[in-house]
């Protein structure tokens, strides 16, 4: 489950991506907060994290504000999740970037690691393939992952 902080980051980035696709104006934090539904005080910290990571930039002055500086199709949702929430792996011994050996098991024979490893491999392939551009699409995001209902394919 993603945190509120990550959800607000994704919504703010989507607002900035939509603006970049339009007239590319810099948006003040109040505008990003209004359009994304994120609380302004919380959003200030999130936007600073996104700026430090090189995803957004800021402009000073009368027409100042925040702008997306990377192409939406080049911004991986996994990158954002890791930036805001940390490692994605369900177990520390499965993480590629924050690996830690579990003190209570042998990785070669651990059944918990084996089962979650298979799940995690599938999840990571899926989440790594999604980008900010996917969030900009108007179609139902769950539609692409929906299982066929009763009578489908008949």
């Amino acid at each position: 489950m993603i945190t509120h902080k990550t959800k607000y980051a994704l919504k703010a980035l989507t607002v900035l991506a939509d603006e970049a696709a339009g007239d590319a104006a810099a948006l003040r934090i109040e505008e990003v907060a209004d359009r994304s539904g994120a609380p302004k005080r919380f959003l200030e910290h999130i936007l600073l994290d996104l700026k430090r990571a090189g995803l957004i930039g800021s402009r000073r002055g009368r027409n100042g504000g925040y702008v997306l500086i990377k192409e939406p199709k080049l911004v991986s949702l996994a990158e954002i999740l890791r930036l805001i929430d940390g490692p994605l792996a369900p177990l520390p011994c499965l993480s590629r970037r924050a690996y830690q050996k579990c003190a209570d098991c042998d990785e070669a024979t651990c059944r918990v690691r084996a089962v979650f490893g298979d799940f995690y491999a599938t999840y990571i392939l899926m989440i790594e393939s999604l980008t900010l551009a996917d969030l900009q699409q108007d179609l139902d995001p769950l539609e692409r992952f929906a299982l066929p209902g009763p009578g489908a394919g008949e």
Side-chain angles (χ1 to χ4, degrees):
M1 187 174 343
I2 65 172
T3 63
H4 283 292
K5 187 175 180 181
T6 297
K7 191 172 183 181
Y8 292 146
L10 293 170
K11 287 182 172 191
L13 284 168
T14 303
V15 166
L16 293 172
D18 290 345
E19 188 64 27
D23 61 10
L27 297 178
R28 294 183 343 269
I29 193 166
E30 295 83 8
E31 293 172 298
V32 177
D34 286 344
R35 292 185 195 183
S36 68
K40 181 184 170 222
R41 282 186 50 209
F42 203 30
L43 194 57
E44 289 172 346
H45 299 289
I46 294 168
L47 293 177
L48 284 176
D49 288 342
L50 296 173
K51 184 178 176 189
R52 280 188 212 112
L55 299 173
I56 64 173
S58 61
R59 295 182 190 156
R60 293 180 181 251
R62 187 174 197 196
N63 295 322
Y66 289 96
V67 294
L68 184 69
I69 58 175
K70 281 183 93 175
E71 221 21 69
K73 65 183 175 187
L74 299 177
V75 179
S76 161
L77 296 189
E79 174 186 358
I80 298 162
L81 290 171
R82 284 187 188 103
L83 173 69
I84 303 298
D85 287 340
L88 299 177
L91 297 168
C93 62
L94 291 173
S95 180
R96 289 187 272 160
R97 297 185 179 167
Y99 171 84
Q100 290 182 357
K101 183 169 176 40
C102 295
D104 62 344
C105 69
D106 172 27
E107 290 180 9
T109 60
C110 179
R111 293 180 185 181
V112 175
R113 184 177 197 271
V115 170
F116 277 91
D118 288 344
F119 158 78
Y120 179 59
T122 302
Y123 170 74
I124 204 72
L125 283 173
M126 194 180 271
I127 199 75
E128 293 271 355
S129 72
L130 296 173
T131 68
L132 184 54
D134 291 308
L135 291 179
Q136 289 183 276
Q137 295 178 3
D138 290 331
L139 57 110
D140 181 358
L142 295 179
E143 190 175 283
R144 81 178 84 187
F145 300 115
L147 297 174
E154 294 180 3

